[in-house]
Amino acid sequence: MDYMGIEKDRLHMSWVSSAEATKFIDVVTRVTDAVRALGPNTRFVKHQAKVA
């Protein structure tokens, strides 16, 4: 993922059954907090071309 410009901490994988609503909420909260703590991903920011 680093090669593609995505920091490894921005990708999370987890198995959650449709019967595990509480686990789903926990996983989403943890992932959201972790990604927010990283701040914006500046590797994918498009820069406008300067027109002379």
Side-chain angles (χ1 to χ4, degrees):
M1 297 309 292
D2 278 333
Y3 177 76
M4 294 174 37
I6 300 172
E7 298 152 327
K8 65 178 178 138
D9 293 332
R10 292 187 185 277
L11 178 66
H12 297 264
M13 302 291 285
S14 182
W15 174 259
V16 182
S17 166
S18 61
E20 299 176 298
T22 304
K23 181 178 177 183
F24 177 78
I25 292 168
D26 181 52
V27 169
V28 170
T29 302
R30 284 188 292 117
V31 170
T32 302
D33 291 345
V35 173
R36 277 192 184 140
L38 291 173
N41 186 352
T42 58
R43 295 182 186 183
F44 285 124
V45 175
K46 289 186 176 183
H47 298 283
Q48 297 257 339
K50 293 183 181 181
V51 178

